[in-house]
Amino acid sequence: MNREAATVRVRSRAGTGRSRKGRTLLLALAAAVGIYVLLEVKMIERLLPVEWFREVAPVTGLHPVVAEKRDRLVAQSKALGIEVVITDDFRSTEEQNALYRQGRGDKGAIVTQVKGGGSYHNYGLAIDFALRIPGGDVIWDLKYDGNGNGKSDWMEVVSIAKKLGFSWGGDWKSFPDYPHLQMDFGYSIGELQRGWRPPLQPE
């Protein structure tokens, strides 16, 4: 074999090696993209109306997990000497619209910034609370210390709620809603409006 033929064979083998490495890299990249798509498919789905895939059952009450956490909130607060009153939970679209009209043509003060379908209450994922004091009065006093431990009863309830998985409307910057507690399970209002719902037993 002459020197030129040997050189050609060496170059051919090197080229074949580079080609195999290139195919391997492409296959690995394709696999990574496939895994990413599989992981993100749920998020992609939620960009579309759920009616495209299946019929949407109307929401008529609290999500069972929210209801269970509500009961635990009341019980754990009671153990601290605080009586919690749930003043609102599931709210229909019609009820939400009526509440929105309050202070905007109907009598009363403005208490919400969203119309029907724009609140987590409309999907059974939110509750509102207040405190009942000795004598039976219901109050919305963030500084009241009825159990005499030097802490705000209201904030003690909020602390319990957060440990149970609720987020608190009092943390909102634009329009704080101090009685409001919600569990969104990672679903935005837009996704809920498009018909997507958290599973009854979220992972």
Side-chain angles (χ1 to χ4, degrees):
M1 181 185 301
N2 60 35
R3 186 174 298 177
E4 286 187 9
T7 301
V8 168
R9 287 194 175 185
V10 169
R11 288 177 178 173
S12 177
R13 289 172 182 171
T16 301
R18 286 194 295 270
S19 178
R20 287 175 179 171
K21 287 181 180 178
R23 286 197 296 269
T24 301
L25 286 173
L26 285 174
L27 289 172
L29 179 60
V33 170
I35 292 171
Y36 176 80
V37 170
L38 288 173
L39 290 174
E40 296 296 319
V41 67
K42 292 298 181 182
M43 298 303 297
I44 295 171
E45 278 184 345
R46 293 187 204 171
L47 296 175
L48 305 173
V50 74
E51 291 89 346
W52 290 11
F53 306 98
R54 60 180 180 273
E55 186 177 350
V56 181
V59 180
T60 58
L62 275 186
H63 187 285
V65 174
V66 179
E68 188 264 336
K69 295 297 180 67
R70 171 205 59 195
D71 294 343
R72 288 175 61 183
L73 174 67
V74 172
Q76 290 182 29
S77 298
K78 186 176 181 180
L80 294 179
I82 303 170
E83 185 174 358
V84 168
V85 178
I86 303 302
T87 59
D88 207 354
D89 45 35
F90 168 73
R91 189 186 300 147
S92 69
T93 297
E94 293 74 21
E95 291 170 331
Q96 185 70 35
N97 283 329
L99 201 61
Y100 181 81
R101 289 194 299 270
Q102 186 174 312
R104 299 179 176 87
D106 291 357
K107 293 182 179 179
I110 292 177
V111 294
T112 184
Q113 297 294 314
V114 295
K115 297 180 180 180
S119 169
Y120 282 97
H121 282 285
N122 307 149
Y123 306 98
L125 303 178
I127 61 175
D128 291 341
F129 78 95
L131 307 176
R132 178 174 283 120
I133 61 176
D137 289 341
V138 175
I139 63 172
W140 287 260
D141 187 342
L142 274 65
K143 296 181 179 180
Y144 177 76
D145 179 20
N147 59 6
N149 65 355
K151 302 177 183 178
S152 157
D153 287 4
W154 194 277
M155 297 311 298
E156 286 189 90
V157 174
V158 169
S159 178
I160 294 170
K162 288 183 175 182
K163 290 176 182 177
L164 290 171
F166 286 100
S167 57
W168 179 44
D171 289 328
W172 298 345
K173 302 301 182 183
S174 58
F175 189 77
D177 189 353
Y178 298 106
H180 183 90
L181 300 168
Q182 71 183 39
M183 300 182 74
D184 58 35
F185 301 102
Y187 285 73
S188 69
I189 283 293
E191 290 166 344
L192 294 168
Q193 289 173 330
R194 289 191 289 276
W196 295 98
R197 303 287 181 264
L200 295 182
Q201 293 296 330
E203 297 179 0

